[in-house]
Amino acid sequence: MNIKSALPKKDASLTMAHMWVAFISLLIGGLMGLLQTFVRTGKITLPFGIDYYQILTVHGVILALVLTTFFIIGFQFALMSKTVGMSNGQRKWGWIAFWIMLLGTTATAIMILLGKASVLYTFYAPLAAHPIFYFGLTFVVVGSWVACFVNFHQLFKWKKQNPGEKSPLLAFMVVINMAIWFIATLGVAATVLIQFIPWSLGLVDEINILVSRTLFWYFGHPLVYFWLLPAYMAWYGIIPKIIGGKIFSDGLARLAFILFLLFSIPVGFHHQLLEPGIDPFWKYIQVVLTFAVAIPSLLTAFSMFAVFESAGRAKGERSLFGWFKALPWKDVRFLAPMVGMIAFIPAGAGGLVNASNQLNLVVHNTIWVTGHFHLTLATTVILTFFGISYWLIPVLTGRKLDAKTNRLGIMQTIVWTLGMFIMSGSMHIAGLLGAPRRSSFSEYNGSEQAVEWIGYQYAQAIGGSILFIGILLMMYTFFYMTFSAPKGIEEFPIAEEEIDADTTPMIFENWRLWIGIAVVLIAFAYTIPFIDIIQNSPPGAPPFQWPIGRS
């Protein structure tokens, strides 16, 4: 048995702490999502004076921000520990980052649960929350910055000890992702610290809405890639090992991540295509850059299917598509991420629709966008995270991925896929019929158009119910893997390159070059339009609190 496959116990404890927060968030956020779908049928009213927008805010914040951030940072700590190591000092700062983020998460959650922050996941002004909500968000961001610099220092120290050597692929990917996160969160930190906190404290009377939304979407779209890139890490660096294959091209994988660094940030205007006050020319520029982000995704699709075919043919399959049948479909470590990959095909197509000026006019602010969001984050990303969990949790807890865990995982993957197909599909169709997003149930005074949506809202409740069953299955499996699975050393599956692989160009290790180009692209895409926004903004807005009259 390979003892080296397990993480050091102290490093495993750090990652496991993040996993606990992530899976508790999954349960709470999933319950809020289930309640939302019930309310939108018009047949159920929330008890105890609970407001629909209160649970909508909990659902969005705790799943899109808390679950993802804690899972990703915990997973990346595990990858860095395994590939470049973690010193006592780095581990100490990792724990400091965890507790700062947990403090901020707790403060934010309390304000939402008290009904003092029903501002949704995007917290658009002029909707105003209690100041503690914004302070909580600040702590989450600051804590994540500490984690960023821990990861940066880990790779820096490794390179210092191994001069002239190519950095481990997964460590390279982690640092790229954290660089994207750090640069992107500068925008949300700026709007929260400079605009929202003084405004919520009453130190200023009005807030510049256009500036706040622009800074949010400077952060909001790269956030999608912060979610997605850990899934790509698993696809590139772990799945080949699980299926008995090799990494197709180390250089291609690094190039894809560098392209994400360059093109994932200066694209926020495609979320603001219908926002007045932004020059159409700069919207066009950022739409072009948005379409450029499709290139690394296409490179990834090519690379992964090359890995699948090579692995299948290495097992003796010679027919045109026999390799596809030879893949380990009964291994949940492969099945769950593979379903996520397949879901990314329609999810990516939907993203191109959202980013296209003319097509966006049809779907903007409809529940189509919510359906797309659930395909990308809740299917592609989350199913891959589940697939990671089935081997990572046993690694962290000193247990084995046994046959029972695998059966539960396959069952959970099937249930999740079915629920998401029904719910997301009905959201897409209802959105094309004009059904709005961010709204509770309404018949719009008997509007004939609104009648067309109702059946799809029932379908969303059916899909949401199936998804919640999937969450309960996942929670049971999580507890089983943590406490009851057989003890042992589970493999930490890290793939290797082909023996005769081409040499990776060392220019990919030139961090100053790539970060410098990213900064230039961001400055080009945002400086002139942002100056114009500030100079020609409409009047500011006083705070508006929901429900009306609540302070």
Side-chain angles (χ1 to χ4, degrees):
M1 187 170 291
N2 183 9
I3 301 300
K4 293 183 179 179
S5 64
L7 286 180
K9 189 173 181 180
K10 290 182 178 179
D11 296 352
S13 297
L14 176 59
T15 293
M16 193 63 190
H18 289 79
M19 294 299 115
W20 272 107
V21 177
F23 278 94
I24 291 170
S25 299
L26 173 68
L27 180 62
I28 297 171
L31 176 60
M32 296 302 105
L34 177 65
L35 293 176
Q36 280 177 248
T37 62
F38 286 169
V39 171
R40 287 178 63 86
T41 65
K43 300 298 183 182
I44 291 178
T45 302
L46 295 170
F48 312 118
I50 299 173
D51 183 72
Y52 173 80
Y53 297 99
Q54 189 176 355
I55 65 170
L56 179 54
T57 303
V58 174
H59 176 71
V61 170
I62 207 166
L63 291 185
L65 295 178
V66 178
L67 181 156
T68 53
T69 303
F70 276 87
F71 187 96
I72 290 167
I73 290 177
F75 175 50
Q76 292 182 161
F77 275 146
L79 293 179
M80 295 299 280
S81 172
K82 186 66 180 174
T83 56
V84 298
M86 179 177 281
S87 68
N88 289 331
Q90 292 163 347
R91 192 180 304 111
K92 175 184 175 181
W93 281 104
W95 278 110
I96 290 172
F98 171 79
W99 288 113
I100 293 173
M101 289 194 301
L102 187 60
L103 174 63
T105 298
T106 303
T108 301
I110 289 172
M111 289 301 103
I112 298 171
L113 294 173
L114 291 176
K116 296 182 180 294
S118 297
V119 292
L120 313 189
Y121 143 75
T122 49
F123 60 92
Y124 276 172
L127 285 174
H130 192 282
I132 291 177
F133 173 85
Y134 301 115
F135 280 111
L137 290 180
T138 302
F139 272 87
V140 172
V141 171
V142 170
S144 72
W145 285 351
V146 175
C148 282
F149 285 98
V150 171
N151 292 152
F152 296 160
H153 186 260
Q154 285 174 285
L155 185 60
F156 172 79
K157 184 177 179 180
W158 184 91
K159 290 184 72 66
K160 196 172 181 180
Q161 294 171 346
N162 300 272
E165 291 189 29
K166 178 179 65 177
S167 59
L169 176 60
L170 287 169
F172 176 90
M173 291 174 163
V174 168
V175 171
I176 287 281
N177 197 35
M178 291 309 253
I180 291 172
W181 174 257
F182 179 76
I183 296 170
T185 49
L186 292 173
V188 73
T191 188
V192 169
L193 290 172
I194 298 172
Q195 291 187 284
F196 279 93
I197 288 178
W199 180 62
S200 65
L201 289 170
L203 301 178
V204 296
D205 295 329
E206 297 178 336
I207 190 170
N208 187 317
I209 291 177
L210 186 55
V211 167
S212 69
R213 291 190 184 180
T214 301
L215 287 172
F216 177 85
W217 285 116
Y218 168 89
F219 155 78
H221 196 78
L223 172 64
V224 174
Y225 297 101
F226 175 68
W227 298 331
L228 184 62
L229 290 192
Y232 275 44
M233 294 174 203
W235 298 355
Y236 274 114
I238 291 168
I239 294 297
K241 175 71 171 180
I242 290 171
I243 67 174
K246 302 280 188 180
I247 295 172
F248 173 71
S249 170
D250 179 275
L252 185 147
R254 292 175 196 258
L255 174 62
F257 270 65
I258 288 171
L259 292 176
F260 278 120
L261 172 65
L262 300 183
F263 296 121
S264 67
I265 300 173
V267 297
F269 283 169
H270 85 249
H271 288 269
Q272 298 175 273
L273 289 174
L274 297 187
E275 193 92 58
I278 301 174
D279 190 293
F281 172 77
W282 293 104
K283 291 180 181 179
Y284 171 77
I285 291 294
Q286 295 205 17
V287 164
V288 172
L289 293 174
T290 301
F291 277 78
V293 181
I295 296 172
S297 292
L298 293 173
L299 291 177
T300 301
F302 171 79
S303 178
M304 292 313 303
F305 278 90
V307 170
F308 297 154
E309 182 171 0
S310 297
R313 298 206 181 283
K315 295 176 182 178
E317 294 293 341
R318 293 291 177 264
S319 62
L320 185 60
F321 294 109
W323 56 269
F324 192 76
K325 183 179 64 175
L327 295 173
W329 296 101
K330 294 182 180 180
D331 186 340
V332 70
R333 298 174 302 167
F334 167 76
L335 177 65
M338 183 62 176
V339 174
M341 289 185 213
I342 294 170
F344 198 53
I345 298 171
L352 296 179
V353 169
N354 298 339
S356 303
N357 186 62
Q358 294 88 339
L359 294 176
N360 183 266
L361 293 171
V362 178
V363 300
H364 184 83
N365 228 21
T366 71
I367 203 165
W368 160 285
V369 179
T370 312
H372 164 74
F373 191 74
H374 281 81
L375 268 186
T376 49
L377 174 58
T379 310
T380 297
V381 172
I382 294 299
L383 270 180
T384 302
F385 286 3
F386 289 164
I388 293 167
S389 300
Y390 291 120
W391 60 261
L392 180 60
I393 302 302
V395 164
L396 301 176
T397 57
R399 297 182 183 273
K400 295 290 292 181
L401 195 170
D402 61 352
K404 179 178 178 179
T405 302
N406 194 66
R407 286 196 304 271
L408 287 168
I410 290 173
M411 187 187 310
Q412 194 273 343
T413 301
I414 293 170
V415 169
W416 190 271
T417 304
L418 175 63
M420 194 59 71
F421 175 80
I422 295 171
M423 190 180 79
S424 178
S426 61
M427 286 177 172
H428 278 85
I429 296 170
L432 292 176
L433 295 173
R437 61 186 298 212
R438 301 192 184 98
S439 63
S440 184
F441 174 79
S442 175
E443 294 179 337
Y444 294 89
N445 291 321
S447 165
E448 290 185 11
Q449 184 179 11
V451 172
E452 297 178 340
W453 310 333
I454 305 300
Y456 294 104
Q457 289 172 184
Y458 288 142
Q460 291 163 34
I462 294 170
S465 300
I466 297 172
L467 280 169
F468 191 69
I469 293 171
I471 288 174
L472 295 178
L473 271 172
M474 189 68 234
M475 293 303 299
Y476 173 79
T477 308
F478 174 76
F479 278 97
Y480 176 78
M481 291 188 292
T482 303
F483 298 112
S484 301
K487 292 185 178 180
I489 304 297
E490 182 60 42
E491 179 187 27
F492 197 122
I494 295 182
E496 300 174 352
E497 285 186 80
E498 295 282 359
I499 296 175
D500 57 349
D502 291 339
T503 302
T504 301
M506 288 306 292
I507 194 172
F508 290 163
E509 300 280 344
N510 190 333
W511 292 96
R512 291 181 181 178
L513 171 65
W514 303 118
I515 292 176
I517 294 174
V519 170
V520 169
L521 279 172
I522 293 166
F524 167 70
Y526 273 102
T527 301
I528 294 175
F530 200 75
I531 291 172
D532 182 59
I533 288 170
I534 293 174
Q535 291 179 339
N536 300 291
S537 285
F544 174 86
Q545 294 181 328
W546 181 268
I548 296 172
R550 178 174 285 173
S551 61

